[in-house]
Amino acid sequence: MFDHIIKRDHATNPITITPIAESGFESWLADQSGPTKAWIAANGYEAKRGTQLILPGTDGALGSVLIGYVDDAKALWDFAGLPASLPEGTYGFVGDIADDAVLYEKVALGLYLGGYRFDRYRKDDGKKATRAKFALQDIDAVRRAENVAKGIGLARDLVNIPANDMGPAELEDAARKLGTEFGAKVSSIIGDDLLKQNFPAIYTVGHGSDREPRLIDMVWGKDDAPKITLVGKGVCFDTGGYDLKPSSNMLLMKKDMGGSAQVLGLARMIMAANLPVRLRVLIPAVENMVSGRAYRPSDILQTRKGITVEVGNTDAEGRLVLSDALTEAASEDPEMILDFATLTGAARVALGLGLPALFSNDDDLANGLMENGLALNDPMWRLPLWDEYRPMLESKAADMNNISGSPYGGAIIAALFLDRFAEGAKSWAHIDLMAWNPTDRPGRPTGGEAQGIRAAFKLIEDRFGK
Ligand code: BES
Ligand code: ZN
Ligand code: ZN
């Protein structure tokens, strides 16, 4: 996936890239030769962040490349445009950038992600492979960037693959493939067995589809290590069920397994880094479809926890499948439970597409995720588990309803629903995210996106690492 990045010692005479801090441009320029100054002036180049300029060599060939950057949380994106835009060749950095491991890691991650493409359904059109190669120092910072990039690439691919090729069974295959790579145990409970083993909400939501629902369960690491459990919403397609979505809203719903893509991407980072934790990943994988077997509005469901739920809306399916998975997650009493889910449109109304909503019963966990998110430009923003809204989930017929009667505060209501099932969890965070880039930006093409997992990985590394 990322073969445009090579080790420095495998490259002879790479074309040099000179990173220029935006604020240091004037003093850098003062030291340059007359012809270089003239070329830079002719191009109106000022080393603004993310902008590049090719300098000609004395022989008229491509000489070297300038790239402007600002050394802040967003620095990685300043470098992400290079892979797609530079001409064929092998490039390497000059300057003291490699001495600063923190910056070098951002540079490397930007270059990795800048080469990400989802092209498995396209005939080779000549643009398929990134032509430029980048020779980076073989240092820890680059290996870390590679690990993170591979986790992100996995998450993006899983979201981008359309639902016809990414149903519950294929999502299980993806988890098994990952498990095999890192020596994790993957099991699954499929179809009628969900009822036998008391996962009734997953069974019921997934029953409307011809593709059988399942609970995917991956376990990795030493039994006696601190337990971390990741839960991801795996709705492989969300039509809304009988409360059918309008076509404009349905169009993007292959991404409704985006939560499961996040947790598999994050699991990949944790396992590849060999963190000393006992990791468990739970993915309720279903398709929310319309059929003669599908669940109906006003049905009353059983849940694993024994709480009965009246279905106010079949489109609020994510919280139903997550409820059984969270009950199972909490039953082991892990040190930390993180769930990722494309749970509500309301979270997007509140915070937009680029900022996942974070909910937590643990201030330290919430603060840590917020801080890491800001420091790494992988942001999320905390919203409250507002106690006073709990009565809005009351039902006259069952223990709870899956929606509130009010159109307001939908992301909080959904989180409060989950909270009932995560009850007793020591430290739980719920991340309600979009998992999708609506526009093309360097390193962030339109399509599936990883959100929050770089921040979560850093937190887990810092807390539980060696
Ligand atoms: N998968 C959707 C939420 C969603 C929609 C996330 C668009 C991101 C973008 C979820 O299953 C859903 O449909 N939620 C409903 C809940 C409502 C019926 C209470 C929603 O948000 O409208
Ligand atoms: Zn839905
Ligand atoms: Zn959904």
Side-chain angles (χ1 to χ4, degrees):
M1 181 187 284
F2 295 119
D3 55 6
H4 63 299
I5 307 288
I6 59 172
K7 292 197 172 96
R8 182 76 193 228
D9 42 317
H10 293 172
T12 45
N13 281 330
I15 302 163
T16 55
I17 302 174
T18 306
I20 306 172
E22 198 181 290
S23 58
F25 174 65
E26 294 298 336
S27 62
W28 176 85
L29 189 63
D31 292 340
Q32 304 309 305
S33 70
T36 299
K37 279 184 185 153
W39 181 259
I40 286 170
N43 282 280
Y45 186 69
E46 294 176 325
K48 294 286 179 221
R49 69 182 315 165
T51 63
Q52 64 192 56
L53 181 70
I54 291 177
L55 299 179
T58 45
D59 55 358
L62 195 159
S64 66
V65 178
L66 308 179
I67 177 78
Y69 73 99
V70 175
D71 189 5
D72 62 11
K74 291 187 289 186
L76 73 162
W77 307 121
D78 296 342
F79 296 85
L82 293 168
S85 61
L86 286 180
E88 190 168 347
T90 300
Y91 298 82
F93 286 91
V94 291
D96 54 8
I97 203 157
D99 298 342
D100 180 343
V102 179
L103 178 58
Y104 205 70
E105 188 174 331
K106 292 181 201 168
V107 172
L109 184 57
L111 290 173
Y112 269 107
L113 295 178
Y116 175 83
R117 288 173 66 99
F118 180 70
D119 52 17
R120 69 176 67 192
Y121 293 91
R122 300 184 62 164
K123 305 263 180 308
D124 193 340
D125 59 2
K127 289 193 224 140
K128 198 166 173 180
T130 306
R131 288 166 303 161
K133 298 227 181 292
F134 297 85
L136 300 183
Q137 311 277 357
D138 188 14
I139 57 175
D140 215 40
V142 175
R143 286 188 282 270
R144 295 165 60 86
E146 179 182 8
N147 179 22
V148 169
K150 284 182 173 167
I152 292 172
L154 172 64
R156 288 178 177 179
D157 277 355
L158 293 174
V159 174
N160 284 331
I161 294 171
N164 57 321
D165 285 337
M166 189 47 71
E170 290 87 353
L171 189 53
E172 177 181 339
D173 291 343
R176 287 190 185 277
K177 190 167 163 233
L178 183 66
T180 303
E181 192 177 345
F182 293 100
K185 279 202 208 97
V186 179
S187 61
S188 69
I189 303 169
I190 302 174
D192 291 345
D193 285 342
L194 287 165
L195 273 188
K196 290 185 197 134
Q197 298 190 43
N198 192 26
F199 292 95
I202 301 173
Y203 172 88
T204 304
V205 171
H207 196 53
S209 173
D210 288 339
R211 303 198 284 183
E212 284 190 304
R214 61 203 65 211
L215 178 66
I216 304 163
D217 190 344
M218 180 162 92
V219 179
W220 176 88
K222 293 207 172 68
D223 276 347
D224 56 354
K227 291 185 171 61
I228 294 178
T229 300
L230 308 176
V231 180
K233 173 176 171 181
V235 176
C236 293
F237 197 80
D238 182 10
T239 66
Y242 274 100
D243 289 302
L244 202 64
K245 288 182 182 295
S247 51
S248 55
N249 292 356
M250 202 190 295
L251 187 58
L252 218 55
M253 283 299 136
K254 69 169 182 179
K255 76 165 181 76
D256 214 22
M257 37 59 72
S260 68
Q262 308 303 315
V263 298
L264 289 174
L266 176 54
R268 195 191 189 290
M269 294 177 196
I270 293 170
M271 296 189 294
N274 205 16
L275 294 187
V277 297
R278 202 301 308 259
L279 178 68
R280 188 179 190 195
V281 178
L282 288 168
I283 297 172
V286 303
E287 212 179 6
N288 190 20
M289 300 294 272
V290 175
S291 78
R293 294 193 313 267
Y295 75 139
R296 290 157 288 256
S298 85
D299 280 0
I300 296 177
L301 311 188
Q302 293 294 333
T303 60
R304 183 170 186 76
K305 202 175 174 87
I307 297 171
T308 57
V309 181
E310 181 182 9
V311 178
N313 192 312
T314 59
D315 198 11
E317 83 297 338
R319 62 197 74 180
L320 296 172
V321 299
L322 287 171
S323 70
D324 280 357
L326 282 171
T327 302
E328 174 58 23
S331 72
E332 272 196 323
D333 198 25
E335 296 306 311
M336 186 188 289
I337 300 176
L338 300 180
D339 82 70
F340 288 78
T342 51
L343 203 63
T344 68
R348 308 289 60 87
V349 173
L351 297 171
L353 305 189
L355 198 50
L358 163 68
F359 298 85
S360 183
N361 64 356
D362 175 353
D363 290 344
D364 285 342
L365 178 60
N367 293 339
L369 288 170
M370 282 266 291
E371 279 163 25
N372 287 347
L374 290 174
L376 300 173
N377 196 238
D378 185 25
M380 52 188 110
W381 210 263
R382 191 179 187 186
L383 296 178
L385 290 161
W386 195 250
D387 226 31
E388 284 182 33
Y389 294 169
R390 283 184 205 274
M392 292 166 85
L393 284 165
E394 280 169 9
S395 157
K396 292 211 184 329
D399 298 333
M400 284 178 96
N401 200 296
N402 75 330
I403 61 162
S404 85
S406 156
Y408 303 113
I412 297 178
I413 301 287
L416 286 171
F417 184 92
L418 297 183
D419 181 63
R420 283 287 298 272
F421 298 88
E423 200 181 24
K426 275 192 200 117
S427 180
W428 162 64
H430 157 59
I431 293 135
D432 186 341
L433 76 158
M434 183 65 181
W436 191 262
N437 283 323
T439 57
D440 282 322
R441 287 173 295 176
R444 292 179 279 186
T446 303
E449 185 55 299
Q451 291 183 304
I453 60 175
R454 287 192 290 126
F457 178 55
K458 175 84 172 29
L459 180 125
I460 293 168
E461 244 188 335
D462 290 348
R463 281 211 190 165
F464 300 99
K466 283 163 217 163

